[in-house]
Structure formats: C-alpha cells, structure tokens
Amino acid sequence: ADNVANASTPDYVREVSTQISMTAGGQGMGVRSATVQRAMDAGLQAALFQQNGMVAGLQTRQAALAAIDSVQGTPGQGNDLSSLLGKLQDGFSTLAADPANATQQAAVVGDASALAGQINAVSNAYTDGRNAAQTAIVAGVGTLNATLAQIGGLSDQIVQLRALGQNSADLENQRDAAVDQLGGLLDVRTLAQGNGDLLVMTSSGLSLPTHAAAPPFATSAATLGPGSFAPGGGVPAITLGGLDVTASLTGGTLGANITLRDTTLPAGQAQLDEFAQTLSSRFAQQGLTL
C-alpha cells in the first residue's frame, strides 16, 4: 500500500516486507513479517548522486563563463579586443599619411579609448565573477554544514530504530535526499554502517563530520580585487578544524565556484594583463609611454 500511495513521491524508494517462518518443536507455526527494507541498487543510486553533482558543477561554470563572454564581445563584430586593436592600428596607419589632420587625430584617440575601455570592462567582469563565486562559496559552506547536521540527525534516529527492530525506511529516504543535496555541493562518497549510520567523505578521502557539535566547516566573506590570489593573497580559505581543506573540496557547485575563484578566472585575468602589458610596451617602444 505504501508503494502504491508513494509511486509519485520524490525520493521515495520501493519497500519490501520479508517473511520469516516460525516453528515450534519442529512443527510449522506460520510466518511473521520481518523489518521492512528498501529495494534499491546502492551502486546505481551512488552513480546518480555523482552525476547530479557533476551537472550542477558544469551549470555553475557555464553560467559564470557566459557572463564573461557577454562582456568580451563577439569576434568579427567589431566589439572584441582583437577587432578594437585592429581598428586602432588602422587609425594610426591613416594618421601617418597626414599627421596634422585633426579629425583623424580625434578618431585615433576615440579608437584608443574604446580599446582601453574594453580592457577595463573585461577586467571588471573577471573581478565581478570572482566575487560572485566568493559569495556563493560562503553560502555553500553554510549549506554544507546544515546538510551534514541534517544527515547526522537522521542517522541518529535510524540507528535507534534499527536497534529496536523497527522500520527506518522513511528516515533513510529522507537521508538519501539530504545526501543528494550534499552531492550537488561536492563530489561525495558514502559508506553505510551495519548499525544504520552513514559515513560521508569527499572523493579525495576527506571525512565529512555528520555528528559534529558545532558547524565543522568555516570560511569568511571577502571582496576580491584583480590581484587577490589563493592561498595567502586575500582569498579566504575553507577550514575544517582550523586546517585549510579548500583543495579537497571538489565537484558540485561549491567545488566549481572554488575552481572559478582560484583558478579559471584568475587565469583569464592574467591573460588580459599580459595583453595589456604587451600593448603598453609596444607603444613605449614607439615613444608613447602609457
């Protein structure tokens, strides 16, 4: 009856009731119902959780990079850095034929301003993206702590029911839903214990406390600049028991935001800095120091 009634219920797992034969003095005395158990493929469920986390991480990355692409402009449409640089080069070539032409002088200044403005706009987009990732990381750590506490609380109830020989299937379904939410944050692995408890760890082997008396993970808010870097360069670490475990937190939305903040977006900023420095150096070689 539960299976039929909950056929469309999210996170519900089909339950089965096993029967145990009863005998007395070698004579059959009928059967009795044993504890209700869930009928599921644990390996398939774990693969599903991991896949959900992978998708969540890719969506986070895609959204962040799409915001950068929207500012960088479209190649060939005249609003990207290459096109703006080419337009400035053409402007100088035209001005070289008539250096005293005031109209052409103004056009070159306008082209140069447009190029510098686009460099600044792209740089600001990288900085904004890193700060958005930083904000999401702080929120993600809060969700991580809350979800671990939820898993631990459900595990305590499951262990108690198991010890009393009572049905814990509904609580296990709730715990699986919490593990699925956790998998959206991080790439995690779980290991069921004989007493009903559940060990949770990252793919790198870092144990995630589910029975901690206080929130186990900590980080802090920060406003990042173009020169901020991790570790030690103004980017807050994520700690567990006072130890920096940022590098062990991968996958999911939290792992994706860490990678964006500490690796992907700083690399883009570095490439932009190299472009600007090279451009400035070439102007300086022609006697125009920027």
Side-chain angles (χ1 to χ4, degrees):
D2 280 348
N3 290 335
V4 173
N6 292 283
S8 300
T9 302
D11 303 312
Y12 180 83
V13 175
R14 186 173 66 89
E15 300 174 2
V16 295
S17 178
T18 56
Q19 306 297 316
I20 299 177
S21 297
M22 299 178 64
T23 61
Q27 297 296 318
M29 300 294 291
V31 297
R32 67 178 178 87
S33 297
T35 303
V36 173
Q37 297 181 351
R38 301 188 303 163
M40 58 174 288
D41 186 326
L44 184 61
Q45 183 192 55
L48 175 63
F49 289 166
Q50 293 172 23
Q51 187 68 25
N52 290 344
M54 181 181 299
V55 171
L58 290 174
Q59 290 174 337
T60 299
R61 174 183 171 84
Q62 190 276 334
L65 295 183
I68 301 296
D69 288 341
S70 67
V71 177
Q72 286 182 328
T74 304
Q77 297 297 314
N79 57 354
D80 60 296
L81 288 176
S82 297
S83 298
L84 292 172
L85 180 60
K87 186 177 181 181
L88 179 61
Q89 182 178 7
D90 293 342
F92 271 115
S93 297
T94 302
L95 181 62
D98 186 9
N101 188 316
T103 300
Q104 188 57 35
Q105 290 174 359
V108 169
V109 171
D111 293 340
S113 296
L115 176 59
Q118 181 65 356
I119 292 174
N120 288 329
V122 175
S123 178
N124 290 336
Y126 280 124
T127 301
D128 291 344
R130 293 187 73 195
N131 279 296
Q134 167 63 19
T135 300
I137 288 170
V138 174
V141 169
T143 303
L144 173 61
N145 286 328
T147 306
L148 289 173
Q150 181 184 8
I151 293 172
L154 290 168
S155 292
D156 289 340
Q157 297 178 63
I158 292 169
V159 169
Q160 184 177 9
L161 289 177
R162 289 275 190 91
L164 297 174
Q166 297 180 12
N167 179 18
S168 62
D170 289 343
L171 290 174
E172 291 178 59
N173 290 338
Q174 295 177 41
R175 187 173 64 181
D176 283 349
V179 172
D180 190 18
Q181 181 182 13
L182 185 65
L185 283 172
L186 292 172
D187 185 7
V188 296
R189 303 289 187 271
T190 60
L191 181 62
Q193 303 298 290
N195 64 348
D197 201 359
L198 190 70
L199 296 182
V200 184
M201 64 195 73
T202 67
S203 57
S204 61
L206 176 68
S207 179
L208 304 180
T210 59
H211 300 286
F217 290 93
T219 189
S220 59
T223 300
L224 308 182
S228 301
F229 62 91
V235 176
I238 300 175
T239 60
L240 174 62
L243 299 177
D244 185 349
V245 295
T246 310
S248 299
L249 305 178
T250 60
T253 57
L254 182 57
N257 278 311
I258 291 172
T259 300
L260 285 166
R261 182 195 67 178
D262 298 347
T263 304
T264 306
L265 297 181
Q269 179 70 60
Q271 292 173 354
L272 181 66
D273 291 345
E274 183 179 5
F275 170 81
Q277 176 62 32
T278 301
L279 181 64
S280 178
S281 296
R282 290 181 177 178
F283 270 107
Q285 291 171 4
Q286 301 303 316
L288 180 60
T289 302
L290 302 182

